[in-house]
Amino acid sequence: MLKYTVRRLIQGIPTFFGITVLSYMLMLAAPGNPIELLTFDPNISVEAREKLAIQAGLNDPWPLQYLTWLIGNDWRPVDMNANGVLEEGEYGVRQGILRGDFGRSFFYKRAAITVIGDRIPATLELGVAALITSLVLGIPIGVIAAIRRGGIFDNFSRVMAVVFNAVPSFWLGIMMILFFGSILGLLPMNGRCGTVLVGGCPPLYARLEYLIMPTFVLAAGGIAGYSRYMRTSMLETISRDYIRTAHAKGLPGRTVWFKHAARNAMIPIATFLGPALTGLWGGAVITERVFGWPGVGRLAVEAVTQRDYPVVMAIVILGAVSTIIGYIVSDILYALIDPRIRFS
Amino acid sequence: MRKLSAIVLLVVAALVLSVLALPAAAQDEGGPGEGGIIIESNFGGDIATLNPIIISDASSSAVAGFLYPGIIGLDPETQNAAPNVAGALATGWEYDETGTVLTIYLRDDAFWNDGTPITAADYLYAAEAIKSGETDSARTYVFDSIESIEAPDDYTVVVTFKEFNCRSFNDVNDIPVVPAHIFSEVFETYADMNEDVDYNLNPTVTFGPFAFGEYRPAEQVSLVADQSYPDTILGYVSPAGWIYKNVADQTVEIELLLAGEINVVAGVTPERQQDMRDNADIQTFDYPANGYTYMGFNLADPTNPQDGLDEDGNPIDQGNHPLFGDVRVRQAIAMGVDVASMVDATLFGEGVQIATNAIPTSWAYDDSIEPWPFDPEAAAALLEEAGWIDEDGDGVRECRGCLYAEEGAPAEFELLTNAGNTTRERIGEIIQSQLADLGIKVNFNAIDFNILVQTLLGQEFDAIIIGWSLGLPDDPDGTAFYGPENDLVGSGFNFVSMNNEELNRLYNEAAHVPGCDQDARAELYIEANRLLRNELPYLYLYSANAQYAVRAEVEGFDPFPSFLYWNIDAWRVISAE
């Protein structure tokens, strides 16, 4: 299995580079640039703007910008003070992502990796809570719907699945905020922690109420999706001979459904788990914005709007790596769960 | 009986005393840091840095404004530079006879909160850092006008300008004052400010009613009362602190205010302003926002954008826009668009129509300059006179002897604005519909702001709806927007390619009035504004009303336009108990 994992990881390297080249090109091809946006101010002279663009390396051709991003520019002379003259010993200061330097955010004026690092705990917190919620609710709903096929519960869950899949999450979020936050005053409407002068954010258990609404909104699609997948998979499984045999052997219904059928029906779900990890980043973009959740998703939207290239690229890498790893984990899980599949 | 009377008297006396005592309790003055917490929503995005040398975003500036003194203060009431303003250093200033040397006298009773005196060296440090070009400060433009800054002693700053220009005065205040003794320790070189230095987001030595509390990324910044601040109104800082809480949605922002989770919203959207006024739990203050919205016309040929001047300062032939090159067409459009109704329809009446680039609070505002009247008939007649006639009866006029378009070309143009700004999108639709009635076809598109900026600066557009936020102190000069030297393809802000000799003369004269007398300058600017009203490089639309909304339990709320917090050290949140 170790050999298999290592091989898959090595296979992931060209994919990773492919993603970065494409993303970098697309990002630079998008109109506008960060300096134009940061200095859209008539007070700021053309020369001052030009200087900032040179310092940021934005006037370099894109392959050079990509190369700088990848391997840095501390090995070549760079006009760091943008005075038009390359002075002796005037080298770049960037080390490139291959040496762990993801560049400096144009907007936040600090290392892109620090900016993202500040946000990752919040996104993970929300993402994991949403994933657990969607699995814990989605799978049993699917199993019960399959067992009670054609019944009220099955029809109800089907309707609800369509509704939750169809409702845009920003709308669901705003409605929940208005109802549970504003009208009923039951849940906090914004943010991840209480508003206190000093003392930081308390531990998770002391602020669970902040997690409820965003988790539900982020998990809504997942609950709907998993319940439908699980129902289909379960229906397929319970029509198998071994289930009929189990019934024929006189095993109690509950044992057959949950011990024999559900466990086997969950195998296809494992394949969804890997991509689900990536999906959580994607879904969080909207949910985090609506609830003012201080996570990576919200940062991603802001960074794209502000053309904050280093932050955008760092988030792309985060997404690319989690996707690649997600698929590998998914394949490994599949092989672990289903003895018919072997690592080869 | 006497006993009974005595009891009744005692009871009455007790009641009277208790009634007298009640208001006394309610009016309890509180004490240092006992005035509760002021929580303002921050809809403008997370702060980037609290190092004022490199700040370039509004959220960071809002926070840093509490932490560092200005060199010259602004009087909150007049919005003009004034000596001895709380929180600022200048006690006075004077120009030499050439008007190029400005001597600023600083107070000697201001101290950083670590006890170090605030001196001219603190201003010089920031100036040197900006001038070095090693930081990524966008303020290097101040040295376009400033030749040098010196400090003959600890409490005197001498600024020498490259040439006499009244507009240069504002550049002096764009250089911040920072604790040089700390900054030179924390940042070994100026370039270090660009690095991941903790101090940029954790400043410990400050001067203001509040000191830095803590920063929770993308959540909030908190400041705590700093009782060492000498310029308080009550003799102490009343609020325990101030929190700038990030809120991502403007609907949620108002709900949070109504629920009492925050107590200040500094920018209520027009559609909610009346709700706020009607709400007994909220106190409001309305004022014309320091900015305006306009429709800009590209006067030059958009298919071949050229700079305004060549290297020797001679005008370059930029061609003429087929429609807008003719001032009569611009004037016809101004009369064909009902701006007053537009303000009602898009801003719920929360705005004022403007005639020029001077908003009502400007010192160069003159209410005798009136906007163009809405007069579709006069507009149609003017278009006919300009050679735009609908001969084929298809509802769109064609060029029949017009000045700059090909014969037979339809009266058609593309109007752009930034997508997501629903007010501007609605304005575009109104203009599109009203100009269709006039026989002008408008292709209206709302596009991504980045693309808009690029198209705008690239001068490849026909017309655009956008707005300007103005700075303080008020500077009525419009050289940046209408001066030919700023007509630079790809970077200049005179993207409408305005070049009017009379206007250039007026601006130049106003910038060189001997002694920079404000009244004398205002006269020239008013004349310039009258010219702009008639020449219409922009169709000036409106200045929207801004509103501060603050919970009723906040005492001391007494703002001036654009100066919400001038007396925040005396604010107090009365607790519900």
Side-chain angles (χ1 to χ4, degrees):
Chain A
M1 190 179 95
L2 184 69
K3 219 167 130 190
Y4 174 82
T5 312
V6 171
R7 202 173 63 235
R8 287 295 308 271
L9 280 172
I10 292 170
Q11 281 169 355
I13 292 173
T15 315
F16 172 77
F17 279 105
I19 292 171
T20 61
V21 174
L22 273 176
S23 312
Y24 209 93
M25 278 170 63
L26 280 174
M27 185 181 69
L28 291 189
N33 76 54
I35 303 300
E36 241 169 40
L37 290 177
L38 278 173
T39 60
F40 193 68
D41 175 353
N43 276 329
I44 298 174
S45 63
V46 175
E47 292 76 22
R49 267 185 274 159
E50 188 61 18
K51 199 167 179 173
L52 290 174
I54 293 172
Q55 281 174 329
L58 295 173
N59 288 0
D60 296 336
W62 82 261
L64 186 58
Q65 286 191 49
Y66 177 74
L67 204 66
T68 303
W69 175 78
L70 198 65
I71 59 171
N73 62 3
D74 54 349
W75 47 273
R76 65 180 174 95
V78 177
D79 184 13
M80 289 302 286
N81 57 9
N83 61 356
V85 186
L86 277 177
E87 284 130 41
E88 209 184 313
E90 198 181 16
Y91 279 74
V93 291
R94 299 272 307 281
Q95 296 192 309
I97 60 147
L98 294 183
R99 283 182 284 164
D101 176 6
F102 285 74
R104 180 171 172 271
S105 160
F106 294 121
F107 179 77
Y108 289 102
K109 299 174 186 295
R110 52 187 194 274
I113 201 71
T114 316
V115 176
I116 293 170
D118 282 345
R119 309 286 188 98
I120 285 179
T123 291
L124 281 182
E125 196 174 287
L126 182 58
V128 170
L131 183 62
I132 291 173
T133 308
S134 47
L135 289 174
V136 165
L137 291 179
I139 290 176
I141 290 173
V143 171
I144 296 167
I147 296 169
R148 306 251 183 271
R149 187 183 181 184
I152 295 172
F153 184 85
D154 185 24
N155 285 327
F156 179 73
S157 71
R158 189 169 5 188
V159 171
M160 290 315 284
V162 172
V163 169
F164 279 130
N165 255 333
V167 165
S169 52
F170 71 87
W171 182 86
L172 184 62
I174 294 268
M175 287 303 118
M176 287 185 76
I177 288 171
L178 285 178
F179 189 70
F180 294 104
S182 183
I183 297 171
L184 297 181
L186 286 176
L187 294 168
M189 293 181 264
N190 182 81
R192 179 186 176 216
C193 327
T195 312
V196 289
L197 210 48
V198 282
C201 199
L204 183 59
Y205 63 83
R207 53 180 169 82
L208 282 174
E209 68 273 24
Y210 285 88
L211 202 58
I212 295 173
M213 285 201 286
T215 300
F216 184 75
V217 170
L218 189 56
I223 297 171
Y226 288 127
S227 69
R228 300 322 290 164
Y229 293 135
M230 195 61 205
R231 179 182 177 275
T232 313
S233 179
M234 188 75 181
L235 283 176
E236 213 178 289
T237 313
I238 55 181
S239 63
R240 295 282 168 88
D241 289 346
Y242 65 87
I243 298 294
R244 206 170 302 135
T245 310
H247 279 300
K249 273 164 63 184
L251 283 174
R254 189 168 294 179
T255 313
V256 178
W257 301 130
F258 290 98
K259 213 169 169 189
H260 294 262
R263 275 177 69 175
N264 285 303
M266 272 168 68
I267 292 173
I269 295 287
T271 49
F272 293 118
L273 262 183
L277 293 173
T278 322
L280 290 177
W281 296 114
V285 168
I286 294 163
T287 313
E288 286 182 0
R289 203 179 139 62
V290 172
F291 289 96
W293 195 263
V296 179
R298 214 170 108 197
L299 178 69
V301 178
E302 289 162 3
V304 169
T305 317
Q306 293 159 344
R307 301 288 190 266
D308 199 344
Y309 300 151
V311 176
V312 173
M313 283 309 293
I315 293 174
V316 164
I317 289 181
L318 196 68
V321 169
S322 67
T323 306
I324 292 168
I325 292 178
Y327 277 103
I328 295 175
V329 166
S330 191
D331 287 353
I332 293 170
L333 268 180
Y334 209 70
L336 282 178
I337 296 170
D338 191 341
R340 291 167 299 181
I341 295 165
R342 290 278 162 265
F343 296 107
S344 62
Chain B
M1 189 70 192
R2 194 175 287 173
K3 222 175 189 175
L4 189 68
S5 310
I7 290 170
V8 169
L9 264 176
L10 271 173
V11 170
V12 170
L15 275 173
V16 169
L17 275 175
S18 65
V19 167
L20 285 175
L22 267 178
Q27 285 165 9
D28 178 12
E29 286 298 309
E34 290 174 3
I37 303 169
I38 314 294
I39 307 170
E40 180 184 339
S41 57
N42 169 19
F43 176 66
D46 201 21
I47 62 161
T49 175
L50 292 176
N51 178 346
I53 293 172
I54 56 171
I55 279 178
S56 57
D57 66 294
S59 299
S60 304
S61 300
V63 180
F66 287 120
L67 303 175
Y68 298 96
I71 181 96
I72 298 174
L74 298 183
D75 183 317
E77 197 170 350
T78 63
Q79 304 190 346
N80 284 332
N84 303 312
V85 173
L89 301 181
T91 56
W93 58 86
E94 60 188 4
Y95 279 99
D96 74 343
E97 65 283 357
T98 65
T100 57
V101 180
L102 172 70
T103 306
I104 307 167
Y105 304 102
L106 310 183
R107 59 198 277 194
D108 59 5
D109 63 342
F111 296 84
W112 296 108
N113 60 3
D114 67 350
T116 311
I118 303 178
T119 66
D122 297 318
Y123 182 68
L124 252 62
Y125 176 88
E128 283 302 319
I130 292 169
K131 196 177 181 181
S132 73
E134 291 174 29
T135 74
D136 66 359
S137 172
R139 298 169 191 224
T140 48
Y141 63 83
V142 299
F143 289 98
D144 293 345
S145 67
I146 295 173
E147 177 73 42
S148 65
I149 302 178
E150 284 156 2
D153 63 59
D154 278 353
Y155 298 103
T156 309
V157 170
V158 177
V159 182
T160 307
F161 296 102
K162 288 178 179 162
E163 55 170 19
F164 168 62
N165 189 323
C166 301
R167 282 158 41 206
S168 304
F169 182 78
N170 288 351
D171 287 338
V172 174
N173 244 7
D174 285 349
I175 300 171
V177 179
V178 298
H181 64 292
I182 299 293
F183 271 49
S184 52
E185 240 175 60
V186 174
F187 308 109
E188 276 182 31
T189 66
Y190 297 134
D192 285 352
M193 288 183 198
N194 300 342
E195 300 304 315
D196 240 344
V197 181
D198 179 53
Y199 195 86
N200 279 343
L201 279 169
N202 185 22
T204 49
V205 177
T206 55
F207 173 84
F210 300 112
F212 179 73
E214 69 179 19
Y215 166 58
R216 298 206 316 238
E219 284 189 81
Q220 65 166 57
V221 188
S222 66
L223 306 181
V224 293
D226 186 344
Q227 301 300 345
S228 72
Y229 178 61
D231 299 347
T232 54
I233 295 164
L234 303 172
Y236 57 85
V237 177
S238 164
W242 177 81
I243 296 176
Y244 207 30
K245 183 180 171 68
N246 292 30
V247 181
D249 185 280
Q250 284 185 301
T251 309
V252 176
E253 189 177 41
I254 296 295
E255 294 305 326
L256 289 172
L257 180 73
L258 295 174
E261 285 187 42
I262 57 174
N263 40 34
V264 177
V265 173
V268 179
T269 53
E271 65 266 32
R272 297 305 296 269
Q273 290 182 3
Q274 189 57 44
D275 289 352
M276 295 296 101
R277 280 193 285 269
D278 293 342
N279 193 315
D281 292 334
I282 308 292
Q283 33 187 344
T284 56
F285 180 79
D286 300 276
Y287 65 98
N290 196 24
Y292 59 87
T293 298
Y294 63 89
M295 171 176 165
F297 299 110
N298 191 349
L299 309 184
D301 179 3
T303 61
N304 182 26
Q306 299 284 326
D307 287 352
L309 302 174
D310 65 15
E311 283 177 5
D312 302 323
N314 300 313
I316 296 174
D317 179 15
Q318 300 174 294
N320 288 290
H321 190 277
L323 260 178
F324 307 133
D326 187 344
V327 69
R328 291 171 297 180
V329 176
R330 307 199 294 272
Q331 291 173 343
I333 289 174
M335 288 192 286
V337 175
D338 186 0
V339 180
S341 305
M342 184 190 284
V343 170
D344 287 338
T346 60
L347 294 178
F348 307 88
E350 309 285 357
V352 283
Q353 187 180 355
I354 50 167
T356 74
N357 66 343
I359 60 167
T361 47
S362 166
W363 50 266
Y365 179 74
D366 180 354
D367 59 11
S368 74
I369 306 177
E370 288 184 9
W372 287 84
F374 176 54
D375 189 346
E377 281 175 24
L382 202 55
L383 284 174
E384 308 256 328
E385 184 194 313
W388 291 96
I389 300 156
D390 183 14
E391 277 186 357
D392 57 11
D394 67 348
V396 180
R397 292 167 188 272
E398 302 91 39
C399 171
R400 301 290 173 209
C402 70
L403 278 183
Y404 302 117
E406 277 178 29
E407 196 63 12
E412 180 179 3
F413 70 91
E414 187 182 37
L415 177 62
L416 301 174
T417 197
N418 53 314
N421 186 321
T422 47
T423 308
R424 288 183 193 161
E425 287 175 11
R426 184 88 189 88
I427 290 168
E429 286 160 8
I430 292 173
I431 291 175
Q432 184 179 38
S433 143
Q434 293 186 340
L435 292 189
D437 295 343
L438 207 57
I440 299 174
K441 188 178 175 198
V442 180
N443 302 310
F444 174 57
N445 285 311
I447 57 175
D448 171 59
F449 187 68
N450 290 280
I451 304 175
L452 188 81
V453 168
Q454 205 165 50
T455 314
L456 184 74
L457 295 177
Q459 304 189 2
E460 290 169 329
F461 65 99
D462 290 323
I464 196 152
I465 303 167
I466 197 167
W468 286 127
S469 292
L470 306 172
L472 285 172
D474 177 33
D475 182 3
D477 181 80
T479 316
F481 310 123
Y482 315 115
E485 66 274 28
N486 290 308
D487 181 0
L488 297 161
V489 178
S491 55
F493 281 79
N494 179 8
F495 39 72
V496 293
S497 295
M498 176 76 168
N499 188 359
N500 182 295
E501 277 182 25
E502 177 62 5
L503 187 69
N504 302 343
R505 183 190 68 77
L506 288 166
Y507 281 148
N508 189 42
E509 225 171 274
H512 296 93
V513 166
C516 297
D517 175 60
Q518 199 175 81
D519 292 339
R521 292 183 69 203
E523 270 181 40
L524 292 160
Y525 283 126
I526 288 168
E527 212 177 314
N529 291 342
R530 206 178 297 280
L531 189 147
L532 286 174
R533 183 262 182 197
N534 295 332
E535 284 295 318
L536 288 163
Y538 296 170
L539 169 56
Y540 301 95
L541 296 172
Y542 60 78
S543 172
N545 288 345
Q547 186 184 64
Y548 299 130
V550 170
R551 295 279 313 171
E553 55 268 24
V554 176
E555 269 187 355
F557 171 68
D558 184 22
F560 293 107
S562 306
F563 285 87
L564 168 61
Y565 287 130
W566 69 275
N567 65 340
I568 192 169
D569 51 277
W571 282 28
R572 181 167 165 250
V573 185
I574 301 169
S575 67
E577 290 130 344

